[in-house]
Amino acid sequence: MPLPLYLLALAVFAMGTSEFMLAGLLPDLAADLGVSLGAAGLLGPAFAAAMALGAPLTAALARTWPARTSLLGLLLAFAAAHAAGAVTTSLPLLCATRVAAALACAGFLAVALTTAATLVAPDRKGRALAVLLSGTTLATIAGVPAGAALGTLLGWRATFWAVAALCLPAAAGLLRGIPAAPAPHDSAPHDTAEPALRTELAQLRRPRLLLVMALGALVNAATFAGFTFLAPVVTETAELGRLWIPVALVLFGAGSLLGVTTAGRLADHRPRLLLAAGGPLLLAGWPALAVLAEEPAALLALVFVQGALSFALGATLITRVLYEAAAAPTMAGSYATAALNVGAATGPLVAATTLGSSAGPLGPLWASALLVLLALLAAVPLREVLAPRHGGA
C-alpha cells in the first residue's frame, strides 16, 4: 500500500480518537457540566449528525481544490475546535464545538476516502479502505483508552487538549507525504474529465447505492448504540472499577482492528460470504452481551467479539458504497461518510431512549440487537445488491 495511505490513517487516528472518546468520558463530563448522562450522551449523535450532513456539502465545496490543501485545512480546523471545546463551561457551547469539529472531520474523511481510492488499483478499494480505517480501529485500541485514562486522572478537558495536540504531527505528515496534486493510479484513465457535480449527485437515485448505504447505516447505528454507553455497563452492571473502562475499550478496539483487517481481505471479492457468516453472529452477540454482562470475563470477551464483527460488517458495506458510487469519483467518499454517520447519529439516540427503561444500562445493548435485526431483514431479500460486479466493482 502507498505511504500516503498510512499518513491519512494517522490523521484518521486523531479523528477516531475524538469521535469515540466520549464513551469513556461521559460520566465525568456529565458531572462536571451538571447534566444527566443521557443529555451528555447526545454529544455523540450531534457529532455524527453534523458529519452525515457535512460530508456531502464539504466534499462538493472542495471537489475542485487540491487534495493536500483540503486535507490540511480541515485537519487544522478540527484541532482548533478541540482546543475551544477544552475551555467551554456549558453543554450547549461544548456541543457547538463538537459540531464544528464534526464538519471538519466529515470533510476530511470524505476527501481522504476519495483520495485513498485513487492511490490503488480499481479492484483494491477494500484494502485501501482497511488501511484508512485502521486509523479508527487503532484509535479505539490506543487513543480512546488512553483518553479515558487521561480523563480519569486529569479530567475530561485534558483529553480534548491531547486530541488537538495529536493533530499537529498528523498535519506535518500530510504536508510532507501528500503531493500538492496527486496523480491518479496508473490503471485509471488519464484523459477522462471528472463528471459534473450534478452527474455525481444523480448517483444517489440508484437503488443499489441507496440500499447499501442504508445497510451500512443500520450496522453502524448498532455499533454506536452499544459502544457509546459501554462505560455504565462496565461500572454498574459488571460492578468493575472505573479503570476497567479503558480495558473494555481496548478490547473493543482490538476486535475492531481484526474485523477491519478481515474485511480488507474479503470485501473486494467475497462480500456476501463475510456478511452471511458475520451477520447472524453479530445479531446473536448483542443479546448475549446483555444477558452475560454481570459476568466480567464474559463481558470483556464479548466486547472483543462484537468489536470484530461490527467493524468487519461495517467496513464491508462501506466498501460496497465506494464500488456502487464509482461513477461519482469526487463524491463517493462523502456518500460513504454520510452512511457511516447517519448510523452513528441514530444509534446513540435510539440507545438513549432505553436508559430509563427497566433494562437500565443494558438497554443500549438490546437496541443494538434490534438495529442489526433490521439490517439483516433488509439484506436477505436484497442479497444480490451485495454481490460484487465486474471483478469486485
Side-chain angles (χ1 to χ4, degrees), residues 158-269:
T159 305
F160 275 68
W161 282 116
V163 170
L166 188 60
C167 292
L168 301 181
L174 290 178
L175 185 62
R176 293 179 61 86
I178 301 292
H185 190 271
D186 290 341
S187 64
H190 293 271
D191 56 352
T192 302
E194 291 179 352
L197 178 59
R198 180 179 298 179
T199 301
E200 296 200 49
L201 292 176
Q203 295 299 305
L204 289 173
R205 294 200 295 265
R206 296 181 59 247
R208 286 180 65 100
L209 175 58
L210 290 175
L211 290 171
V212 177
M213 289 174 66
L215 293 176
L218 282 170
V219 169
N220 209 44
T223 302
F224 273 80
F227 183 80
T228 300
F229 296 99
L230 184 59
V233 176
V234 172
T235 57
E236 296 179 28
T237 306
E239 297 183 344
L240 295 171
R242 290 172 57 199
L243 287 178
W244 280 95
I245 295 175
V247 174
L249 297 178
V250 167
L251 289 171
F252 188 91
S256 68
L257 180 59
L258 174 62
V260 164
T261 302
T262 302
R265 296 181 180 277
L266 297 177
D268 288 314
H269 303 293

